[in-house]
Amino acid sequence: MTLLGDAIHPMPPTAGAGAGTAVVDAVHLAGDLAALPPAAALRRYQRRILGYAPRAVAAAVPALTWQRRLGYPVVRALAGAVALPLAGVVVRAQASRLSTRDAKTTVLSE
Amino acid sequence: MRLPLPPDDDVLLIGRRPLRAVLARGVADAVRWETTVCGFTEHPDGVDVHLAGARDVRVDVLVGADGVRSRITPALTGRPAARPAGVTAIAARVPLGVPGAPPVPGDLRHGLAFGYGPRGVGVFLALHRPGPRPAPEAEPPYLVWSVAAAPERFSGDPATTNPAGLVDEARRLLRGWGRGSRRG
Ligand SMILES: Cc1cc2nc3c(=O)[nH]c(=O)nc-3n(C[C@H](O)[C@H](O)[C@H](O)COP(=O)(O)OP(=O)(O)OC[C@H]3O[C@@H](n4cnc5c(N)ncnc54)[C@H](O)[C@@H]3O)c2cc1C
Ligand SMILES: Cc1cc2nc3c(=O)[nH]c(=O)nc-3n(C[C@H](O)[C@H](O)[C@H](O)COP(=O)(O)OP(=O)(O)OC[C@H]3O[C@@H](n4cnc5c(N)ncnc54)[C@H](O)[C@@H]3O)c2cc1C
């Protein structure tokens, strides 16, 4: 299992790069799955995301921060609080799941 | 304000609908529309995907690409995919090239525009014009406008306001703004 697009690196619209980054994810994932067995492909794909997604999110944050700053007399939210990419978290969660051999059912909550 | 773009590159825009249509080229038969994923069971050699009102599907790999409100992300990481960014926006598209269409600022032909005003109110403008050889998916020309501000600047909940009410809200947020633009 893995994640792609906004589900793993939510993008503020301010850089106009969210859809493009999601498409880049899909291209990398398709390439890795075509070249490697699934488990190895997912590991490589997730390591790749860590290489570009945090930068893409960071590029979108300043415009949003500026807008909020102009709106408040005190800067109460810093850029890092917006939507830090989950990529690193997923790589770790994935590593622990891959070692689980038993079938496990997850029901998605609303 | 300039977007972080390479200085010598052309800016190419594509609307969401044409983008989706282009991405679906060649795989339309494989897409199941109107089908909600409601859970999954992981096995050592694959994943059973549980669908609302349809039979399970066995896949080698399940990719959660379900957006900022992803339900897969919390199931996988224990954290929501995104948090509110502290900015709420109203966006609309206005058809161009039809009677009654508004005049378009010339600068928009060179790219997108962000504007910031008092009280943290921001404006976004983008012009969509099909190129000289438009793809079949291309839409007729239109202008996207958006007005954004902190949620507490809105007089009501935009999510439950009708289109006419949203236009009034945008006008209220922009009260005092001039007609011209100045580059920053
Ligand atoms: C106002 C605004 C303006 C933006 N402007 C731009 C821009 O100019 N340029 C740009 O590049 N990006 C922009 N973005 C960001 C861009 O929209 C996202 O980054 C991009 O859509 C992410 O794509 P995605 O495929 O990850 O998720 P999404 O496009 O959100 O797609 C997720 C899909 O999953 C489906 N889904 C969800 N849950 C389930 C379920 N349980 N079962 C089945 N299906 C499900 C949804 O119906 C949806 O179709 C903007 C975003 C916003 C909010
Ligand atoms: C701050 C901000 C920045 C923005 N930046 C940009 C920008 O840089 N560039 C830009 O172009 N726009 C930008 N926008 C505007 C925004 O991204 C959309 O253009 C706007 O929401 C109009 O989209 P739409 O009417 O096509 O509806 P959409 O929001 O695209 O779609 C309406 C609904 O139809 C569904 N849908 C659409 N196509 C399909 C399909 N083929 N199959 C099934 N379901 C489908 C969608 O999932 C959605 O639920 C911005 C908006 C804001 C607020």
Side-chain angles (χ1 to χ4, degrees), chain A:
Chain A
M1 294 208 26
T2 193
L3 298 169
L4 180 158
D6 275 7
I8 185 168
H9 43 66
M11 299 287 265
T14 33
T21 311
V23 172
V24 169
D25 292 349
V27 170
H28 285 316
L29 179 58
D32 290 341
L33 282 171
L36 295 168
L42 296 188
R43 274 198 300 276
R44 180 188 287 184
Y45 160 73
Q46 288 168 179
R47 240 176 274 124
R48 274 184 207 277
I49 289 190
L50 285 174
Y52 60 83
R55 231 178 323 135
V57 176
V61 166
L64 203 59
T65 312
W66 193 18
Q67 169 148 22
R68 275 188 317 209
R69 236 175 245 175
L70 293 170
Y72 300 107
V74 179
V75 182
R76 69 167 200 210
L78 290 172
V82 174
L84 274 184
L86 277 162
V89 178
V90 174
V91 173
R92 285 195 297 279
Q94 195 66 40
S96 62
R97 287 173 93 85
L98 285 173
S99 59
T100 312
R101 294 268 99 186
D102 304 325
K104 177 170 174 281
T105 296
T106 303
V107 178
L108 299 177
S109 51
E110 287 295 336

Side-chain angles (χ1 to χ4, degrees), chain B residues 105-126:
Chain B
D107 274 350
L108 287 184
R109 297 186 191 283
H110 306 293
L112 320 168
F114 275 109
Y116 294 92
R119 297 181 300 280
V121 176
V123 162
F124 170 85
L125 292 169

Side-chain angles (χ1 to χ4, degrees), chain B residues 1 18 26 39 55 63 65-66 70-71 76 79 89 97 107 111 116 120-121 140-141 146 156 158 164 170 176 178:
Chain B
M1 171 155 202
R55 288 184 41 197
V63 181
D66 48 347
S70 173
R71 293 159 69 191
L76 220 59
R79 291 167 36 171
D107 274 350
Y116 294 92
V121 176
S146 164

